[in-house]
Amino acid sequence: MTYCVDSDIAAFEKGEGLDLKAMPQSGEVDAAWCLRFLRAIRDVAFATVDADGLPSVRIIDVMAVTDKRLYFLAPRGKEFHAEVMREQFVALVGQTSDFRTCRLRGIVAHPEGEAVQHALVDAIFELNPSMNLLYSGENRYICDVFYVEEGEGEYFDLGQSPVFRKPFRIGGEPDARGTFLIIDACIGCGVCAAACPEQCITEGDPYVIDQSHCLRCGICQEACPARAIVKQ
């Protein structure tokens, strides 16, 4: 697929202006909203793998977003650049002071061609003028532009009761891994519902876990006498 630099640059402004103090309605929280949320946080933790196969974490700025992509920069002399080029994968997470978190992990793309890179760098520096203090004039072109184009993530609000979480995906359906599910072996005793700290398990045949409020702590699984709760 040919990368269209002009369409993404035109979409950068639409990713701006999200108010971090405004609490979203559950219906608002989708992939596009989560990318804007990360952009509003801006300084987030990026995890990569170093040359020795060990985890490496840095604070990196989210420089721009569209509805489907998250953009960041890496100067070519940095180890971070080498790690991203080698692994072509990153995981990142940002959190607000009121304990709202958004995480994303996915495949990284590196737009090819000097003209494309320069156009993206110019657009990102215009959107983030403070970058000119670090890399003035032509020095800005030491930075390469990358974007996350396919991946999965989750918005998680630990500050409300019960907690609220919503998964999202760029380029597909959300991943259900890590969730707990009550299977047909359920005997309807209600032990899991009584044990749940978020009270997000309701009576049914079998009982049902409301995934949007589940803490994913595993208390229900350990409490179940019928071993009817499985982790996906």
Side-chain angles (χ1 to χ4, degrees), residues 146-227:
F146 299 87
Y147 62 84
V148 181
E149 66 171 348
E150 181 180 342
E152 58 89 23
E154 182 180 61
Y155 173 78
F156 183 35
D157 186 352
L158 189 60
Q160 70 177 63
S161 183
V163 299
F164 172 73
R165 71 192 318 147
K166 191 169 183 181
F168 67 93
R169 186 167 182 85
I170 304 171
E173 294 299 318
D175 194 339
R177 285 180 297 179
T179 59
F180 289 90
L181 181 68
I182 301 176
I183 61 176
D184 289 340
C186 173
I187 58 176
C189 65
V191 170
C192 61
C196 177
E198 295 299 315
Q199 300 181 337
C200 68
I201 302 178
T202 55
E203 187 173 357
D205 185 22
Y207 274 63
V208 176
I209 301 173
D210 184 343
Q211 299 296 336
S212 65
H213 299 301
C214 178
L215 194 58
R216 297 184 185 171
C217 60
I219 288 176
C220 60
Q221 185 183 47
E222 292 190 3
C224 178
R227 297 184 178 179

Side-chain angles (χ1 to χ4, degrees), residues 16-97:
E16 301 292 294
L18 188 143
D19 182 2
L20 285 177
K21 296 180 180 179
M23 298 296 290
Q25 299 296 315
S26 60
E28 293 180 78
V29 181
D30 57 11
W33 186 92
C34 288
L35 293 180
R36 293 183 68 206
F37 182 75
L38 286 166
R39 165 61 179 164
I41 295 173
R42 181 163 171 157
D43 300 318
V44 306
F46 272 71
T48 55
V49 177
D50 69 15
D52 297 319
L54 299 174
S56 182
V57 180
R58 300 168 181 84
I59 299 298
I60 301 292
D61 284 355
V62 175
M63 288 295 181
V65 297
T66 68
D67 285 351
K68 298 179 180 179
R69 290 173 176 153
L70 179 146
Y71 283 80
F72 61 96
L73 296 176
R76 288 187 293 278
K78 299 276 191 179
E79 285 300 312
F80 178 61
H81 185 284
E83 291 165 6
V84 173
M85 289 293 289
R86 182 179 61 250
E87 302 296 332
Q88 299 179 18
F89 196 93
V90 295
L92 58 107
V93 62
Q95 186 180 63
T96 62
S97 59

Side-chain angles (χ1 to χ4, degrees), residues 65-154:
V65 297
T66 68
D67 285 351
K68 298 179 180 179
R69 290 173 176 153
L70 179 146
Y71 283 80
F72 61 96
L73 296 176
R76 288 187 293 278
K78 299 276 191 179
E79 285 300 312
F80 178 61
H81 185 284
E83 291 165 6
V84 173
M85 289 293 289
R86 182 179 61 250
E87 302 296 332
Q88 299 179 18
F89 196 93
V90 295
L92 58 107
V93 62
Q95 186 180 63
T96 62
S97 59
D98 58 352
F99 308 112
R100 289 182 293 145
T101 301
C102 191
R103 64 174 181 84
L104 171 66
R105 63 177 186 174
I107 298 170
V108 174
H110 177 247
E112 297 294 335
E114 183 177 280
V116 169
Q117 280 288 331
H118 282 196
L120 287 168
V121 167
D122 288 343
I124 284 174
F125 270 61
E126 183 175 350
L127 203 61
N128 303 271
S130 62
M131 290 298 296
N132 290 287
L133 299 176
L134 291 174
Y135 303 102
S136 61
E138 296 289 306
N139 289 337
R140 67 174 59 184
Y141 300 125
I142 192 61
C143 299
D144 274 359
V145 178
F146 299 87
Y147 62 84
V148 181
E149 66 171 348
E150 181 180 342
E152 58 89 23
E154 182 180 61

